Amino acid sequence: MGLPLRVGIIGVGKISEQYLANLPTFPGLRLVAVADLNRERAQQVADENGVRALSVDELIDDPEVDAVLNLTIPAAHVEIGTRALKAGKHVFAEKPLGLDPVEAEAMLDLAEELGLRFGSAPDTVLGTGVQTARRTLESGIVGEPIAASVHWAAPGHERWHPAPEFYYQPGGGPLLDMGPYYLTALVHFFGPVVRVSGLATRSDRPRTIESGPRAGTPIPVSIDTYVSALLEHASGVTSTVTVSFETWRTRAPKFEVFGTEGTIAVPDPNMFSDPVEVAVRDEEWRVVPDSAGCIDTGRGVGLADIADAIEEDRPHRASGRLALHVLEVMDAVLRSSDEKAVVEIRSTVERPEILPLRTTTGEEPALAGARD
Ligand SMILES: NC(=O)c1ccc[n+]([C@@H]2O[C@H](COP(=O)([O-])OP(=O)(O)OC[C@H]3O[C@@H](n4cnc5c(N)ncnc54)[C@H](O)[C@@H]3O)[C@@H](O)[C@H]2O)c1
């Protein structure tokens, strides 16, 4: 096949803006076509980017498309992904991998049978933020990891998203929407999860779209909007995770890792390159120089890693199997809440290789650890 990998995007809504801006920065990727249920929108994006606008069927069957970048809403992820695989395309999909782990697993089995790559968001964890935090943890400076604490909270995505209904339907909610960032980072740090316990609830606060042409439209809510979880990793580390669409303000730290000798303040794993801080015993916090991850990058780096992995004949990092494990954990947390029981996790996954400090074009920086 050879590089660059020719990419067709299906679903050119809000998040596609970030991918469209970033794709040209990766030498291993070339955008060739876009498609959307909204043909007008697809045409507009195609014109802006000098590529072809196709129907979804045409893009899936297009001989010039090597990989489908699936940026549709969660409810369409498995259907579009499966159709693209059947047409012989590699796939990289936005998160969550799907709504149902069983259906998502069948899609990944198909990819493996067909010898095709399947990758999934989040690829934010390949930025310098989470990768430097992982290297800091592995350096032993905070001793042996004991536990981690995650607290992501906001009033709700209807504040800024012009079409936020999917966040309040199955596949959405704070856990399936924001959980993938935090849980994927936790698996990078501590390995797979074996057991979970969860509690989920919601208020009856009415929600309406707050921006865009449909501002004022009520949003039906069919999922829980405040979720707390306890996770036990196979390594023995325990993670506590709270995610919320119910919180107007909070002072809770977003993400901390506690070791026998100190604490790592992990930057937001929904971002790529915020600084990592560490405090050893009762010393002051200090910023850790970047030591791993892709510098100044953005969404698309996971697909670029697939292109390189094909060339180098190695596993890619933002893998479908990692996303499946995370989806199973999230599904189990919600089941645990419903069933009032601890739930065992069936799937497992290898931790991806750490990404050495590098630029989007693959070069090692002249001055490792230098920040702008
Ligand atoms: N908006 C964000 O900030 C953000 C951030 C990270 C990840 N994501 C993820 O990206 C995905 C898309 O989110 P978004 O905010 O861009 O949503 P969006 O609603 O703005 O865009 C989705 C687009 O996909 C199209 N679409 C839906 N179903 C389709 C189908 N079956 N075939 C073809 N096109 C279809 C829609 O017409 C729309 O243009 C979601 O999985 C979301 O979790 C969004």
Side-chain angles (χ1 to χ4, degrees):
M1 183 179 287
L3 293 183
L5 202 61
R6 295 166 302 176
V7 177
I9 301 181
I10 302 184
V12 281
K14 187 86 185 141
I15 201 57
S16 71
E17 294 162 15
Q18 291 188 26
Y19 284 91
L20 289 162
N22 295 330
L23 288 185
T25 67
F26 300 111
L29 303 178
R30 184 156 61 85
L31 181 68
V32 295
V34 297
D36 197 293
L37 288 179
N38 180 340
R39 294 295 301 259
E40 210 178 307
R41 168 91 183 132
Q43 190 61 56
Q44 183 196 338
V45 171
D47 292 346
E48 284 165 9
N49 290 275
V51 297
R52 290 174 299 144
L54 301 174
S55 72
V56 173
D57 289 348
E58 285 166 348
L59 190 145
I60 284 175
D61 288 328
D62 194 285
E64 285 187 18
V65 171
D66 305 314
V68 166
L69 178 54
N70 181 4
L71 307 182
T72 60
I73 58 172
H77 286 174
V78 169
E79 187 221 316
I80 296 280
T82 304
R83 284 172 59 199
L85 290 170
K86 285 183 176 161
K89 313 299 184 199
H90 304 290
V91 178
F92 187 91
E94 253 305 334
K95 49 79 196 162
L97 184 61
L99 309 191
D100 172 21
V102 175
E103 283 176 19
E105 185 167 17
M107 174 175 68
L108 300 188
D109 289 347
L110 178 67
E112 280 161 25
E113 270 165 48
L114 296 172
L116 294 165
R117 301 285 184 143
F118 198 107
S120 175
D123 58 5
T124 47
V125 298
L126 301 180
T128 49
V130 167
Q131 293 293 307
T132 295
R134 177 170 163 184
R135 182 146 279 167
T136 305
L137 179 65
E138 289 173 4
S139 77
I141 189 171
V142 298
E144 287 300 315
I146 307 299
S149 170
V150 163
H151 192 279
W152 181 88
H157 289 336
E158 67 277 19
R159 312 286 323 268
W160 58 271
H161 197 291
E165 286 92 337
F166 73 86
Y167 290 117
Y168 293 95
Q169 292 161 4
L175 186 61
L176 269 85
D177 181 52
M178 297 308 292
Y181 299 107
Y182 291 90
L183 299 183
T184 305
L186 289 170
V187 175
H188 267 266
F189 295 157
F190 311 127
V193 174
V194 290
R195 233 162 34 122
V196 308
S197 175
L199 276 178
T201 186
R202 70 182 88 167
S203 71
D204 55 6
R205 172 158 68 88
R207 297 184 185 260
T208 50
I209 301 175
E210 295 187 27
S211 66
R214 291 163 55 242
T217 309
I219 306 170
V221 176
S222 63
I223 44 80
D224 283 324
T225 45
Y226 192 102
V227 183
S228 303
L230 297 173
L231 317 179
E232 181 183 338
H233 296 262
S235 56
V237 174
T238 58
S239 297
T240 58
V241 175
T242 297
V243 284
S244 162
F245 285 170
E246 293 289 355
T247 309
W248 288 103
R249 294 183 82 127
T250 177
R251 293 178 178 178
K254 273 207 172 81
F255 200 165
E256 292 180 331
V257 169
F258 309 116
T260 50
E261 297 295 321
T263 300
I264 300 171
V266 180
D268 185 348
N270 184 19
M271 301 294 161
F272 283 84
S273 48
D274 288 345
V276 176
E277 290 183 75
V278 68
V280 175
R281 295 202 165 218
D282 45 15
E283 286 171 11
E284 285 305 311
W285 291 103
R286 64 179 172 80
V287 172
V288 180
D290 293 341
S291 58
C294 195
I295 298 166
D296 292 335
T297 193
R299 286 183 164 83
V301 67
L303 180 55
D305 185 57
I306 288 186
D308 294 343
I310 293 170
E311 282 289 291
E312 294 161 17
D313 194 22
R314 60 160 172 84
H316 53 279
R317 292 176 173 84
S319 72
R321 291 285 162 192
L322 176 54
L324 177 65
H325 182 66
V326 165
L327 179 63
E328 190 196 346
V329 169
M330 297 189 296
D331 186 65
V333 165
L334 298 177
R335 218 148 30 86
S336 163
S337 177
D338 282 350
E339 296 170 4
K340 300 184 171 45
V342 171
V343 177
E344 308 276 335
I345 302 300
R346 200 173 51 88
S347 67
T348 189
V349 70
E350 299 263 313
R351 293 198 308 156
E353 286 287 309
I354 201 162
L355 184 66
L357 194 63
R358 42 158 286 181
T359 64
T360 49
T361 49
E363 288 122 35
E364 286 173 29
L367 189 57
R371 240 179 201 290
D372 290 339

